[in-house]
């Protein structure tokens, strides 16, 4: 029988009651077990790191995932919902360094790598309880008791297997390249990592004069990185562009013809000569600095197609140690690589003027020094995007160094083809932000000179005459090759570096390459490593690959979304996922990025305590398209509670209160539709119509439109129109046919609504459903 509900809706009370019901009756597990044998819908959870508290962005991703998975479950799909934890990498190391008061890598090594990694292992689960509680509280059904964890031996072994596949395909190689490098963290970063950390900055750009050898004439070049001038060895011009020699301010300057009128607009200068860029090749000039002697020829003009006329002077200063284009042209002309910056980003003793200073901090002093030498023609403030470390927020520098790479350029065509077979939401990302990135894909800078991560499984023979290298792809192989493999083991540093391995060729001792791998490779391996594939669960993996659905925020476009596709492409030449729902950023009330330092950060617990999970969920889902940014503030959720949630509750309350008084029994008292009023038939027709619209929107992940269709129906059609015009029908003392017709219609609509929007607002709909259902429903 229908019971009379509480007159006042209390989100906290309803949620506690429903959570208890779900827990005591194992409802989540039941929803999976009941659908065994049904068509699977494969979901892959993007693993967060639990060394920090969950924030509003995590709430959004969890709400959206749960919405989709509940909807697909209710449509008869069998869905496993395995949680995951991303446990390696710089985020963890930086947190532990702060806890231990360590300032750099030297401090870590003095503290001890083993002890440091033990602290990292503890740190990654510091806030696990808070994550679990948040996940439960917002109603996200996720198996958090059996998660995949990237630090386990099984997971690492699967990752090693994949790296051995790359090795066998000659995709894994060691190279000397210019890579984005974080001096603070002491490690290189990959192209998809730096895409996450750009900031708009204002910096000085300078026009520098380089004196031609034995002539009182100057090449005029432009740079936004004055610190790299210390290592200048050449100047580049475009071979096919026109260049001019002009007299300006009693000096003779050479620059691009196209740039002269732009830079000297409104100023007088005399044109003395003109020539193609190729005619300037090999002309020598005097070095700006002579801190070191070079063994190769330097300080002359080279030709390069990358020189543009869009800004600057059409002449680019070349420092092969600090730029990819510079390094490549340096290789072509056999230029020396003058590396006058230490790994910590400071100048070495060889640069006495700025010894020990961080390069970016030295820029103003370098500019002042060149001004005194009358080699600066102009200084302008320049606004541009500059890469910062995505974790410690230090400015990055481009640095020539040895690193291990995966040759993604070799599989670029396969990447593009596999991406074309993925359904992107929104669609424009496929050929836009993501497509652009993979069409210009770079080799993946895989290795990190750090401590807490999956060790690179490559060993090199120490015999200078041998230098044989092996890549180990399983624990079995490692055990067989090691003379001292322990019974209890942890596949992290320092254990892997303490194993005694003899070279299969010459029997000399082998030494592991010291690096760990990019933690994005760890998380990008989740689609197979969570199964411990190929060592176990081969059938399970095949049945769950590629996955049907993933969803994360927009910043993962060149992060996790890329690493998944990259790894699945070179391993299996297949897409890793079929559908990807990309979510917008979560901003504050004024559309500003949330930050505790700005004091515009909203604690989700406050909203959950006051307005409840359903109101929060409905607001996040209905406010805008999933891929659009969302403002996150309490007043908006409070308005959602008052406008929609309470309207829905009060509509249900009105019916249930009267139905309980009249002992309305759905098993016996439901009237057939033919015996009801036109008003009843109209509201049922409207419900059927919006149900069809709702399902159409859900197919394309336009969940905001689906929500708005339902919201409009409940507020306008059902509450404002139907219920207001049906009140008097329920006031009759006896169970008249008209009264039963009203009860029958209200019951069917409310029961239908409780099912329809259950994926959106699971708590209030469960409460309504449990009261309205009959034993045979």
């Amino acid at each position: 029988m229908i019971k009379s509900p509480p007159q006042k809706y209390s989100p906290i009370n309803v949620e506690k009651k429903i959570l208890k019901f779900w827990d005591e009756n194992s409802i989540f597990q039941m929803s999976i077990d009941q659908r065994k044998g049904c068509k699977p819908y494969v979901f892959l959870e993007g693993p967060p790191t639990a060394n920090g508290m969950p924030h509003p962005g995590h709430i959004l991703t969890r709400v959206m995932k749960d919405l989709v998975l509940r909807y697909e479950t209710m449509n008869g799909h069998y869905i496993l919902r395995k949680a995951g934890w991303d446990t390696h990498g710089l985020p963890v190391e930086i947190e532990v360094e702060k806890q231990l008061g360590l300032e750099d890598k030297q401090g870590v090594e003095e503290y001890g790598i083993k002890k440091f990694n033990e602290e990292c292992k503890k740190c990654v689960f510091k806030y696990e309880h808070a994550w679990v509680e948040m996940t439960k509280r917002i109603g996200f059904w996720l198996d958090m008791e059996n998660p995949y964890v990237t630090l386990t031996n099984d997971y690492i072994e699967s990752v090693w297997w994949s790296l051995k596949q790359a090795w066998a395909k000659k995709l894994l190689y060691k190279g000397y390249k210019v890579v984005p490098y974080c001096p603070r963290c002491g490690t290189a970063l990959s192209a998809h990592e730096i895409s996450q950390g750009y900031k708009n900055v204002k910096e000085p750009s300078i026009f520098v004069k380089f004196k031609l050898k034995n002539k009182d004439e100057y090449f005029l070049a432009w740079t936004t990185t004055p610190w790299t001038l210390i290592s200048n060895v050449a100047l580049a011009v475009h071979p096919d562009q026109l260049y001019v020699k002009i007299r300006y301010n009693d000096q003779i300057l050479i620059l691009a013809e196209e740039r002269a009128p732009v830079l000297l607009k409104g100023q007088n200068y005399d044109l003395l000569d003109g020539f193609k860029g190729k005619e300037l090749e090999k002309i020598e000039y005097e070095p700006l600095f002579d801190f070191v002697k070079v063994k190769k020829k330097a300080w002359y003009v080279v030709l390069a197609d990358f020189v543009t006329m869009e800004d600057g002077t059409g002449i680019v200063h070349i420092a092969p140690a600090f730029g990819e284009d510079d390094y490549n042209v340096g290789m072509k002309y056999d230029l020396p690589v003058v590396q006058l910056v230490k790994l910590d980003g400071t100048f070495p003793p060889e640069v006495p003027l700025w010894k020990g200073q961080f390069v970016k901090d030295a820029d103003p002093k370098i500019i002042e020094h060149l001004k005194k030498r009358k080699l600066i023609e102009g200084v302008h403030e320049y606004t541009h995007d500059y890469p910062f470390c995505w974790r410690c927020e230090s400015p990055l520098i481009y640095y020539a160094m040895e690193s291990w790479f995966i040759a993604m350029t070799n599989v670029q065509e396969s990447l593009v083809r596999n991406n074309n077979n993925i359904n992107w939401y929104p669609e424009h990302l496929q050929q836009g932000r993501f497509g652009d990135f993979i069409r210009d894909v770079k080799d993946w800078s895989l290795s990190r000179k750090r401590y807490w991560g999956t060790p690179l499984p490559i060993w090199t023979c120490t015999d200078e005459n041998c230098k044989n290298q092996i890549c180990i792809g399983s624990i079995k192989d490692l055990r067989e090759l090691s003379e001292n493999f322990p019974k209890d083991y942890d596949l992290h540093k320092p254990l892997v570096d303490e194993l005694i391995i003899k070279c299969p060729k010459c029997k000399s001792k082998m030494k592991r390459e010291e690096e760990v791998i990019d933690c994005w490779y760890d998380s990008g391996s989740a689609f197979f490593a969570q199964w411990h594939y190929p060592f176990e669960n081969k059938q399970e993996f095949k049945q769950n690959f590629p996955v049907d659905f993933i969803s994360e925020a927009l910043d993962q476009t060149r992060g996790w979304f890329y690493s998944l596709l990259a790894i699945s492409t070179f391993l299996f030449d297949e897409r890793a996922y079929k559908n990807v729902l990309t979510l917008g950023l979560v901003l504050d009330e004024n559309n500003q990025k949330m930050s505790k330092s700005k004091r515009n950060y909203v604690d989700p617990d406050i909203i959950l305590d006051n307005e409840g999970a359903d109101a929060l969920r409905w607001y996040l889902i209905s406010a805008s398209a999933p891929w659009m940014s969302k403002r996150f503030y309490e007043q908006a959720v409070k308005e959602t509670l008052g406008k929609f949630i309470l309207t829905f509750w009060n509509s249900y309350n009105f019916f249930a209160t009267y139905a309980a008084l009249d002992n309305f029994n759905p098993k016996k008292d439901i009237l057939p539709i033919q015996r009801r009023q036109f008003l009843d038939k109209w509201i049922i027709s409207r419900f059927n119509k919006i149900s069809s619209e709702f399902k159409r929107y859900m197919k394309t992940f336009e969940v905001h439109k689906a929500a708005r269709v339902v919201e409009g129906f409940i507020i306008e059609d059902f509450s404002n129109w139907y219920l207001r015009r049906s009140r008097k029908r329920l006031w009759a003392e006896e169970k008249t046919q008209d009264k039963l017709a009203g009860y029958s219609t209200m019951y069917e609509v409310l029961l239908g609504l409780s099912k329809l929007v259950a994926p959106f607002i699971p708590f209030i709909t469960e409460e309504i459903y449990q009261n309205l259902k009959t034993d045979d429903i």
Side-chain angles (χ1 to χ4, degrees):
M1 296 296 289
I2 295 171
K3 298 177 182 176
S4 179
Q7 291 302 299
K8 186 176 180 183
Y9 171 67
S10 168
I12 292 291
N13 291 343
V14 168
E15 288 164 20
K16 284 181 177 179
K17 175 184 174 183
I18 298 305
L19 284 172
K20 184 180 179 184
F21 169 74
W22 286 344
D23 187 49
E24 290 179 349
N25 295 278
S26 302
I27 299 298
F28 168 38
Q29 188 58 45
M30 190 185 299
S31 74
I32 297 173
D33 293 341
Q34 285 179 344
R35 290 164 179 82
K36 279 184 179 177
C38 296
K39 184 180 178 181
Y41 186 80
V42 184
F43 165 67
L44 181 62
E45 164 72 340
T49 304
N51 71 323
M53 290 290 286
H55 57 64
H58 296 124
I59 300 281
L60 172 64
T61 56
R62 274 161 145 61
V63 166
M64 289 296 181
K65 291 172 190 177
D66 185 65
L67 159 62
V68 172
L69 298 180
R70 283 180 185 269
Y71 180 76
E72 293 298 338
T73 297
M74 293 179 70
N75 278 280
H77 286 112
Y78 175 67
I79 306 176
L80 296 176
R81 303 187 183 196
K82 195 178 189 70
W85 295 115
D86 191 9
T87 54
H88 287 145
L90 281 172
V92 183
E93 290 198 41
I94 291 169
E95 182 71 22
V96 172
E97 285 176 5
K98 290 177 182 177
Q99 291 174 10
L100 299 175
L102 306 175
E103 296 184 359
D104 50 30
K105 291 174 72 175
Q106 183 180 342
V108 172
E109 290 176 6
E110 288 174 356
Y111 179 78
I113 295 173
K114 184 176 182 180
K115 289 196 297 179
F116 180 76
N117 277 356
E118 286 171 353
E119 291 301 317
C120 287
K121 195 170 186 177
K122 294 177 192 173
C123 175
V124 293
F125 297 112
K126 183 176 180 181
Y127 297 104
E128 181 185 12
H129 178 72
W131 277 85
V132 171
E133 288 305 305
M134 177 273 285
T135 301
K136 285 182 180 178
R137 191 165 185 193
I138 62 169
F140 183 19
W141 279 356
L142 190 67
D143 182 4
M144 302 195 77
E145 294 181 5
N146 303 287
Y148 69 85
V149 184
T150 61
L151 61 74
T152 64
N153 289 333
D154 283 354
Y155 197 97
I156 291 173
E157 184 178 30
S158 288
V159 170
W160 279 7
W161 166 81
S162 69
L163 291 172
K164 188 167 183 179
Q165 302 307 300
W167 177 269
K169 295 176 182 180
K170 301 190 183 308
L171 295 174
L172 184 56
Y173 70 95
K174 192 173 190 178
Y176 191 80
K177 289 188 176 185
V178 174
V179 293
Y181 176 82
C182 176
R184 156 66 183 78
C185 299
T187 191
L189 283 82
S190 57
H192 52 272
E193 283 181 295
I194 67 164
S195 68
Q196 311 224 359
Y198 277 93
K199 294 182 182 179
N200 197 255
V201 297
K202 291 181 179 179
E203 294 185 304
S205 68
I206 59 174
F207 295 86
V208 189
K209 296 187 294 184
F210 294 80
K211 188 176 183 299
L212 274 68
K213 202 169 184 179
N214 303 320
K215 287 187 179 181
D216 195 21
E217 300 175 2
Y218 297 88
F219 290 114
L220 187 64
W222 177 72
T223 183
T224 59
T225 53
W227 61 270
T228 61
L229 291 168
I230 310 300
S231 297
N232 169 269
V233 293
L235 294 172
V237 299
H238 195 286
D240 301 321
Q241 291 290 339
L242 291 173
Y243 289 79
V244 292
K245 183 188 291 185
I246 64 171
R247 187 185 303 279
Y248 172 71
N249 281 350
D250 296 325
Q251 57 191 339
I252 296 175
L253 304 176
I254 298 172
L255 71 160
E257 180 185 50
E258 191 176 322
R259 297 301 300 163
V262 177
L263 298 173
L264 303 173
K265 188 176 183 180
Q267 300 184 58
N268 295 321
Y269 60 88
D270 299 322
L271 181 63
L272 304 179
D273 203 355
F275 21 73
K276 280 278 187 80
K278 65 177 89 173
E279 298 175 54
L280 298 173
E281 187 179 24
K282 298 293 178 74
I283 293 177
E284 297 182 33
Y285 62 91
E286 296 177 2
L288 284 183
F289 300 97
D290 57 358
F291 292 126
V292 294
K293 294 187 184 298
V294 296
K295 296 180 180 179
K296 296 180 179 180
K297 186 179 178 182
W299 303 301
Y300 60 91
V301 176
V302 299
L303 306 180
D305 291 334
F306 61 75
V307 178
T308 73
M309 301 296 126
E310 293 175 6
D311 45 29
T313 66
I315 299 177
V316 176
H317 113 78
I318 300 296
F322 304 115
E324 186 176 2
D325 288 335
D326 300 44
Y327 183 79
N328 291 337
V329 79
M331 292 291 285
K332 177 182 176 182
Y333 282 89
D334 195 28
L335 295 168
V337 178
V338 179
Q339 182 57 277
L340 284 175
V341 176
K342 297 197 299 183
L343 287 170
D344 64 358
T346 63
F347 286 117
E350 291 89 335
V351 186
L353 291 176
W354 303 292
K355 169 188 166 186
Q357 294 184 36
F358 182 63
V359 292
K360 300 289 284 183
D361 296 337
D363 275 350
K365 296 167 188 175
I366 294 169
I367 294 171
E368 197 57 39
H369 172 82
L370 292 173
K371 277 183 179 177
K372 289 178 181 177
R373 291 170 56 190
K374 297 184 178 179
L375 294 175
I376 296 285
E377 188 59 34
V379 180
H380 299 285
E381 193 175 69
Y382 181 64
T383 302
H384 65 133
D385 289 333
Y386 190 86
F388 286 74
C389 180
W390 64 291
R391 284 306 183 186
C392 74
E393 298 191 348
S394 299
L396 302 179
I397 60 176
Y398 284 84
Y399 201 94
M401 62 191 306
E402 272 195 325
S403 184
W404 283 89
F405 296 87
I406 297 177
M408 296 308 303
T409 48
N410 290 14
V411 296
Q412 186 265 352
E413 289 183 4
S414 296
L415 270 177
V416 172
R417 185 183 68 252
N418 289 334
N419 178 48
N420 290 339
N421 290 323
I422 296 170
N423 299 314
W424 281 85
Y425 301 92
E427 187 179 1
H428 66 79
L429 290 174
Q430 183 182 54
Q431 303 304 331
R433 179 183 171 89
F434 191 77
D436 290 343
F437 184 69
I438 61 172
R439 280 189 290 273
D440 191 34
V441 72
K442 309 293 184 189
D443 285 355
W444 188 338
S445 178
L446 180 73
S447 55
R448 302 287 180 270
K449 293 184 182 296
R450 296 298 305 186
Y451 312 100
W452 178 241
T454 296
L456 188 68
I458 297 173
W459 275 258
T460 304
C461 180
T462 57
D463 188 324
E464 290 294 327
N465 297 318
C466 181
K467 288 293 181 183
N468 176 44
Q469 288 185 321
I470 59 172
C471 181
I472 294 177
S474 70
I475 295 170
K476 178 177 178 287
D477 290 348
L478 185 62
R479 181 182 285 111
E480 290 175 354
L481 287 165
S482 305
E483 295 183 0
N484 60 332
F485 195 83
K487 184 179 179 181
D488 297 317
Y489 58 91
D490 178 1
L491 296 180
H492 287 94
K493 292 165 73 81
L495 174 105
V496 289
D497 295 319
E498 295 168 350
L499 297 175
I500 299 172
I501 295 177
K502 295 294 179 67
C503 176
K505 282 190 175 181
C506 72
K507 304 305 177 186
S508 297
K509 186 178 179 182
M510 302 194 88
K511 187 175 186 293
R512 192 187 71 83
E513 297 288 301
E514 65 176 354
E515 294 94 335
V516 296
I517 69 169
D518 181 3
C519 62
W520 287 101
Y521 192 98
D522 279 350
S523 58
S525 300
F527 67 94
F528 67 91
Q530 66 167 320
W531 301 105
H532 192 210
Y533 179 85
F535 307 100
E536 293 182 84
N537 305 310
K538 288 185 178 181
Q539 193 60 33
E540 286 81 355
F541 166 68
K542 289 177 182 177
Q543 292 171 349
N544 288 276
F545 175 76
V547 303
D548 289 298
F549 172 70
I550 60 170
S551 179
E552 298 294 339
L554 181 66
D555 56 1
Q556 296 298 329
T557 308
R558 296 177 178 180
W560 191 55
F561 299 162
Y562 170 73
S563 63
L564 284 169
L565 183 63
I567 295 169
S568 68
T569 295
F570 77 70
L571 280 181
F572 306 107
D573 195 18
E574 172 65 279
R575 57 187 172 168
Y577 44 89
K578 299 175 185 176
N579 300 283
V580 52
L581 175 60
T582 306
L583 305 177
L585 301 177
V586 177
L587 308 173
D588 74 357
E589 185 175 359
N590 300 309
N591 280 317
Q592 299 297 310
K593 186 176 179 181
M594 282 193 178
S595 167
K596 288 183 178 178
S597 61
K598 291 181 182 177
R599 296 182 180 179
N600 65 345
Y601 178 86
V602 179
D603 184 350
D605 282 337
I606 293 175
I607 294 178
L608 289 169
D609 287 342
N610 294 339
E611 283 76 42
D614 279 334
L616 177 56
R617 287 174 65 117
W618 191 264
Y619 168 71
L620 291 174
I621 294 165
S622 65
S624 61
W627 40 87
M628 300 296 291
S629 295
K630 288 175 173 47
R631 295 190 298 161
F632 188 88
Y633 60 107
E634 188 175 11
Q635 184 58 36
V637 182
K638 189 175 289 186
E639 290 172 6
T640 299
L641 173 66
K643 180 183 176 183
F644 173 68
I645 299 294
L646 289 181
T647 300
F648 188 22
W649 175 266
N650 291 337
S651 299
Y652 155 70
N653 190 295
F654 171 76
F655 161 74
T657 300
Y658 279 96
L661 285 172
D662 281 329
N663 293 315
F664 174 74
N665 187 341
K667 283 186 176 183
K668 301 176 181 177
D669 297 333
I670 292 286
L671 284 186
I673 191 71
Q674 296 85 351
R675 295 171 60 188
R676 302 185 206 175
Q677 281 193 26
F678 177 80
L679 184 63
D680 300 321
K681 295 175 182 178
W682 170 79
I683 196 64
I684 288 175
S685 172
R686 285 289 301 136
F687 175 71
N688 290 335
K689 185 175 187 298
I690 68 109
S691 296
S692 296
E693 291 177 25
F694 176 92
K695 291 170 185 175
R696 188 176 75 248
Y697 288 133
M698 290 300 291
K699 283 182 180 179
T700 53
F701 296 101
E702 294 177 285
V703 296
H704 60 302
K705 292 182 179 179
R708 290 171 186 174
V709 164
V710 173
E711 184 172 306
F713 172 80
I714 290 176
I715 294 173
E716 295 300 329
D717 296 344
F718 191 60
S719 177
N720 288 349
W721 274 87
Y722 179 77
L723 290 185
R724 284 188 181 182
R725 284 155 183 78
S726 295
R727 285 176 184 171
K728 292 182 180 179
R729 303 164 70 187
L730 306 189
W731 292 347
E733 292 186 10
E734 297 180 3
K735 280 188 181 180
T736 63
Q737 178 171 309
D738 190 34
K739 189 176 193 180
L740 289 177
Y743 278 143
S744 299
T745 302
M746 293 175 200
Y747 174 82
E748 289 173 352
V749 170
L750 285 166
L751 189 64
L753 284 170
S754 72
K755 294 177 182 178
L756 193 67
V757 294
F760 291 67
I761 44 175
F763 295 101
I764 190 172
T765 51
E766 184 78 78
E767 172 74 3
I768 293 171
Y769 179 76
Q770 290 300 325
N771 193 19
L772 299 188
K773 71 168 186 170
T774 58
D775 294 339
D776 55 351
I777 291 179

